[in-house]
Amino acid sequence: MSRWNDVTGGTAGQDYAARFAALARSGKDVHGEARFCAGLVPAGARVLDAGCGTGRVMIRLAELGYDCVGADLDASMLAVAQRQAPGLPWFQVDLAAFEPDLLGIAADFDLVVAAGNVFPLLAAGTEATVVKRLAAALRPGGLMVAGFGLNESHLPVPPSITLSEYDDCCAAAGLAPVGRFSTWDADPYDGGGYAVSVHRRLRMCGTS
Ligand SMILES: C[S@@+](CC[C@H](N)C(=O)[O-])C[C@H]1O[C@@H](n2cnc3c(N)ncnc32)[C@H](O)[C@@H]1O
């Protein structure tokens, strides 16, 4: 179970998609995450959308020519993703137990993206394991991108992971810091309540 499930009861898919559809209709930019990722790796690159939810980010990346895989635990979110893009690969899986081999996919992603507060919404105590699992799915040199809130005003749950804790998880998983931003438009990080972090896999890393 995840904090996300605690908050939503596992039934948020339709409402979540409707909320972003309304934002898009009102002229809001809902593709910042995909654009940010597209600035890091070229079209055609393999991308894992970790905690893909309704596929908001991944469907856009697929439209831009990326070779994408989506993974999420919440069946109601995945049902929307599947309905919106039935031709794309969506997997219902706990990121804390993510093993590409078991899903029949290669562990050589060029980029893993965890957008939309995935890390603060994991089950308590699983953050380091999830970072390790995701790092192991990257090819050496591949990039890990995570954007999440750090205080109450940027989160639907109490803050649970600090940037230094996240960086420690990354270091333990063989991921080195590349950059940190305050928005998906790559504005410099200013110490505020939201951060987008980019790390690079340096070496082979295990999942134990
Ligand atoms: C706020 S939604 C973000 C969805 C999507 N990334 C986006 O930006 O629109 C957070 C997602 O993290 C997923 N999640 C939380 N813990 C998870 C876990 N252990 N394994 C897989 N997905 C998880 C939830 O199911 C949920 O879909």
Side-chain angles (χ1 to χ4, degrees):
M1 282 299 146
S2 62
R3 290 186 183 94
W4 171 255
N5 193 74
D6 295 342
V7 169
T8 64
T11 59
Q14 298 272 27
D15 288 351
Y16 191 85
R19 184 152 59 86
F20 277 98
L23 286 173
R25 277 196 305 275
S26 75
K28 278 255 193 252
D29 175 20
V30 293
H31 294 309
E33 296 95 333
R35 202 168 48 245
F36 182 90
C37 294
L40 293 174
V41 291
R46 291 197 75 223
V47 175
L48 172 65
D49 189 348
C52 61
T54 57
R56 185 177 66 86
V57 178
M58 173 167 143
I59 291 170
R60 181 64 181 156
L61 282 168
E63 287 168 355
L64 294 173
Y66 291 86
D67 179 8
C68 300
V69 171
D72 201 286
L73 197 49
D74 184 326
S76 80
M77 299 287 273
L78 284 171
V80 175
Q82 179 71 36
R83 203 163 49 245
Q84 289 185 344
L88 296 180
W90 307 105
F91 292 97
Q92 185 177 13
V93 60
D94 185 345
L95 296 176
F98 185 69
E99 271 190 59
D101 283 1
L102 297 181
L103 304 174
I105 55 179
D108 65 353
F109 286 95
D110 299 298
L111 184 144
V112 172
V113 58
N117 287 323
V118 171
F119 275 98
L121 290 166
L122 296 171
T126 64
E127 297 84 355
T129 303
V130 169
V131 173
K132 209 175 268 190
R133 293 280 177 177
L134 297 181
L138 284 169
R139 65 167 174 77
L143 296 172
M144 169 94 163
V145 178
F148 55 86
L150 301 160
N151 62 25
E152 307 275 354
S153 58
H154 291 84
L155 285 170
V157 289
S160 55
I161 180 165
T162 65
L163 286 178
S164 67
E165 287 166 346
Y166 178 71
D167 285 341
D168 287 348
C169 292
C170 287
L175 297 171
V178 171
R180 176 154 285 148
F181 307 91
S182 63
T183 66
W184 291 100
D185 287 327
D187 295 309
Y189 183 62
D190 54 4
Y194 190 84
V196 179
S197 305
V198 183
H199 290 75
R200 185 184 299 281
R201 178 175 166 181
L202 292 179
R203 53 176 166 80
M204 300 302 290
C205 42
T207 55
S208 58

